[in-house]
Amino acid sequence: SRAVGGETRRAFASIPKAPGGDTFLGHNADFRNDRLGALRRLAGLESPVLRLKLPLPVRAMIANHPDVVQETLVEKAKHFDKSDMLRFSLFPLAGEGIFTSNGELWRRQRKLMAPLFHVKALEGYAPDMVSCALRTIDRWRDGDELSLNAETTRITMAVAGKTLFDADTFSEADELGHALTVTLDWAGWIIGRPMAIAHILMRRRFGALAESSSGRIAELARRAELGVRGPVLLFGKRGRELAAAIVVLDEQVQRMIDERRRSKHDHGDLLSRLLAARDDDGTAMNDRQIRDEILTLFVAGHETTATGLAWTIHEACKSPRIYDEMEREADAAGDAPSVADLPKLDLCLRAFKEALRLYPPVYIFGRDANKDVTLAGYDVPRNTNVMMSPWVLHRHPHLWPDPERFDPERFRPEAEASRHRYAYLPFSAGPRFCLGIHFAYMEAPLVLAALLRRFRFELLREDEPEPSATLRPRHGVRVRVRARR
């Protein structure tokens, strides 16, 4: 320990080590072999920060308390960037979209998209949300056995396509859904693997060379740095599947861009805003930039809500009293619920929030320190990865009594007000919190009301989370639907 400016600061190496990490590869092997098991060992530990044992020269730590999350994401947000590992794993899908970009590019993107998620704009999306739900369940028949996650994905994918891009993606939902699953599975698989680490270390070396050089050498270093943002080569079966999936997604997005350019009509949606956007020098976005934003928002616009809806019904089916009350709310809202019915759907919203607590789709994420900084009184060197896990925080018994129990009462206003603001992180926090939070909180109860009004759900088997890039149900939540009269 040492005193600096009246503050006691301790060395990074003195941070308590997280449980596990006993092999040569340390916690890297733990997370690759049993990701949720490694995270479960952290839940409830008293230390607010934990150091991970990783092969040199990689440094990483866990922010294991809401105070440290607040310090990282809010108070010292400018000292952290989106993690290089996350950016690398999602680069084939999202490129330099708003979820993965940093610095001035991210600020421009955020400013461009924010108006689409204001309250007044959101109210206009409600009819499309309900219409997409009804269009999906019109295909169901009494007694059908379904993969509920596939059905909720079809709904939310259609909602994202219609509201953000004024595009009908319903007929392509299965093909697009498969392509997105392949890319997200690859992203979850590549994290922490030697190829990913090598790319990141090369990128940092090229970046450091560019910073310390000038002229032609700096220019070449910058180009090399850009060249290793994503995988240089794709190998094996996974690589071929990823390449094929990206072709499917790129072709769909390019059709949307080409059709909109031919129509020359401003639809007032995200795609129109992207096509009309100009840099300070008057330069328009190129098709690659537009493509990155479309795919980023397309994934973000449907993935969280789709899995959250499936988990909500999964948990409600195991709690008959809660299910019956949600069904009564749906009946009170009627056949076509609207924005005006949202106050009647209070339990549906609270159940959705509780499902996101138990199964946060983005269950772990990180930030890289862009300069030397202190966290929780420890010296954190530049390029250290600070990881935060909603999965862990949402199971801390001091923050959430009986944390494994499904209990929507946790999200009564008085309960939320009494809890640490950063104990609940399904949409991150700070300047980079998810723009779509209110979009999801409006879509979920409306879709639940539409589904519960028309059908009764019988859970065929209990499911379990599959930790890939996101936390999807391993078996898709298998249900039988019974038509209600």
Side-chain angles (χ1 to χ4, degrees), residues 213-231:
S213 306
S214 61
R216 183 65 174 165
I217 293 178
E219 180 184 348
L220 291 173
R222 287 294 180 202
R223 288 183 184 178
E225 183 185 15
L226 292 175
V228 291
R229 288 176 297 174

Side-chain angles (χ1 to χ4, degrees), residues 157 160-161 165 169 176 180 293-302:
M157 192 177 290
F165 313 112
T169 59
L176 292 174
L180 289 170
E293 298 301 350
I294 288 176
L295 285 178
T296 296
L297 269 294
F298 195 57
V299 172
H302 88 270

Side-chain angles (χ1 to χ4, degrees), residues 276-441:
R278 296 292 183 272
D279 286 338
D280 293 338
D281 62 0
T283 303
M285 282 187 177
N286 60 43
D287 283 3
R288 175 67 197 198
Q289 290 173 301
I290 296 173
R291 173 260 187 216
D292 290 350
E293 298 301 350
I294 288 176
L295 285 178
T296 296
L297 269 294
F298 195 57
V299 172
H302 88 270
E303 178 73 16
T304 294
T305 310
T307 55
L309 286 168
W311 284 121
T312 301
I313 293 176
H314 176 275
E315 293 300 309
C317 285
K318 294 158 53 181
S319 307
R321 181 186 60 80
I322 294 173
Y323 188 107
D324 291 345
E325 180 58 32
M326 289 171 63
E327 193 173 73
R328 283 192 287 272
E329 285 191 350
D331 291 342
D335 291 333
S338 67
V339 168
D341 295 308
L342 288 174
K344 303 175 187 175
L345 301 172
D346 176 62
L347 177 57
C348 287
L349 176 59
R350 287 189 283 111
F352 177 70
K353 288 182 175 182
E354 174 69 346
L356 293 185
R357 181 189 70 82
L358 285 170
Y359 308 104
V362 182
Y363 60 100
I364 188 167
F365 60 91
R367 297 286 189 270
D368 287 345
N370 55 36
K371 62 185 296 184
D372 293 347
V373 66
T374 60
L375 279 181
Y378 291 95
D379 288 326
V380 176
R382 182 184 180 186
N383 288 330
T384 299
N385 179 239
V386 181
M387 299 168 64
M388 286 147 280
S389 174
W391 171 270
V392 173
L393 285 173
H394 295 177
R395 282 169 167 72
H396 199 301
H398 292 171
L399 302 170
W400 306 91
D402 195 5
E404 297 292 338
R405 182 166 56 93
F406 177 71
D407 182 10
E409 295 299 299
R410 303 181 200 270
F411 292 93
R412 292 280 188 187
E414 59 275 16
E416 289 187 293
S418 67
R419 198 162 45 239
H420 196 297
R421 182 177 177 181
Y422 300 101
Y424 184 63
L425 288 177
F427 296 94
S428 190
R432 297 196 68 142
F433 81 95
C434 178
L435 279 171
I437 179 172
H438 299 297
F439 187 103
Y441 284 165

Side-chain angles (χ1 to χ4, degrees), residues 457-474:
F457 295 86
E458 300 173 2
L459 191 63
L460 296 177
R461 62 179 297 180
E462 287 197 31
D463 219 316
E464 58 184 346
E466 173 72 19
S468 182
T470 58
L471 200 64
R472 291 178 169 183
R474 186 183 299 273

